[in-house]
Amino acid sequence: MSSKVLPQPERDEIRVEAVLQALGEPVRLTIVRALADNPAGVCCGDIELPVTASTRAHHLKTLREAGVLSTHTDGTRRISVLRREDLEALYPGLLTGILSAKQ
Amino acid sequence: MSSKVLPQPERDEIRVEAVLQALGEPVRLTIVRALADNPAGVCCGDIELPVTASTRAHHLKTLREAGVLSTHTDGTRRISVLRREDLEALYPGLLTGILSAKQ
DNA sequence: ATCGTAGTACGATGATGATCGAACTAGTGA
DNA sequence: TCACTAGTTCGATCATCATCGTACTACGAT
């Protein structure tokens, strides 16, 4: 058992400005859309992005610290999952609204 | 009749990244909340903000160009109105989700 | 006309942040 | 133990942007 959850804010610590700021960046929005398509979670590196690994890590950290996604380890992999329940509880409709945008 | 509408994107020109980026700034979120409380529109200068007039103008321009609000002149005043219909049509649930956040 | 008020435009500045390469950590497997 | 892989962290750099003061425009009233 080598799985562990990376630090993230509790539901009541999530601030809407942080969430919106996190989502208002094209690369991060791409990540969120990929997570939305895969409820079981996605391995970070499997999302195709026009940035290097370190930039990718930076964006994932930003999203995690904003409370948008949760990351747990799986061996050397890191699996990220969208925090749908928490976001829906805090801001009902926000996620579906964003995801319904024809990109 | 001296009323005229300031330039703004058509509904189909609104991009979700621009909207989210515009909303992800505390001062601008304050403006949006004030507009949401006043469906008839609000005179720009009547919203209490911790910034100068020029910064206020900058934020209002950002929100207008993102498609979040509409501004029309009324004499020397400028009245801003939230573009609820357009936003709801493009991103159903997004606005209500954001506004339901206990600030 | 002149003045006052509401707001914008411009230029400068300082802060934030997106990006990268390089060095590092941790887990897997030979 | 020794590589290999996945990912993070650090420091630097460059771009974006929030902020301000000042100068400007537009409208209304005297």
Side-chain angles (χ1 to χ4, degrees):
Chain A
M1 172 55 166
S2 60
S3 181
K4 116 175 102 169
V5 177
L6 271 57
Q8 63 180 37
E10 298 296 321
R11 178 185 289 187
D12 64 306
E13 293 170 338
I14 296 177
R15 292 164 304 119
V16 68
E17 308 89 16
V19 171
L20 291 170
Q21 193 173 351
L23 296 173
E25 206 280 333
V27 175
R28 289 196 289 261
L29 200 51
T30 302
I31 295 174
V32 169
R33 287 196 177 107
L35 295 189
D37 291 339
N38 296 275
V42 170
C43 174
C44 311
D46 291 350
I47 309 173
E48 263 192 61
L49 295 172
V51 294
T52 63
S54 59
T55 302
R56 178 194 314 262
H58 162 68
H59 285 310
L60 285 166
K61 186 179 183 183
T62 300
L63 287 166
R64 195 181 65 242
E65 290 180 345
V68 175
L69 56 80
S70 180
T71 303
H72 64 270
T73 62
D74 173 33
T76 107
R77 305 277 175 116
R78 310 232 161 164
I79 308 297
S80 290
V81 184
L82 198 57
R83 292 180 67 175
R84 272 189 180 277
E85 255 188 55
D86 289 322
L87 294 175
E88 186 63 22
L90 290 167
Y91 323 115
L94 181 135
L95 256 185
T96 49
I98 291 168
L99 296 172
S100 72
K102 53 170 170 299
Q103 38 186 128
Chain B
M1 174 53 166
S2 59
S3 181
K4 118 175 98 168
V5 177
L6 271 56
Q8 64 179 37
E10 297 297 320
R11 179 186 288 189
D12 64 306
E13 293 171 339
I14 296 178
R15 293 165 304 119
V16 67
E17 309 89 18
V19 171
L20 291 170
Q21 193 172 352
L23 295 173
E25 206 280 332
V27 174
R28 290 196 288 261
L29 199 52
T30 303
I31 295 174
V32 170
R33 288 197 177 107
L35 295 189
D37 291 340
N38 297 274
V42 171
C43 173
C44 310
D46 291 349
I47 309 173
E48 263 192 60
L49 296 173
V51 294
T52 64
S54 60
T55 303
R56 178 195 314 262
H58 162 67
H59 285 310
L60 286 165
K61 187 180 183 184
T62 301
L63 287 166
R64 194 180 66 242
E65 290 179 345
V68 176
L69 55 81
S70 181
T71 303
H72 63 270
T73 62
D74 173 33
T76 107
R77 306 277 176 115
R78 310 235 161 162
I79 308 297
S80 290
V81 184
L82 197 57
R83 293 179 66 176
R84 273 188 179 278
E85 255 188 56
D86 289 322
L87 294 174
E88 185 64 21
L90 290 167
Y91 322 116
L94 181 136
L95 258 186
T96 49
I98 291 168
L99 296 172
S100 72
K102 54 168 168 302
Q103 37 185 129

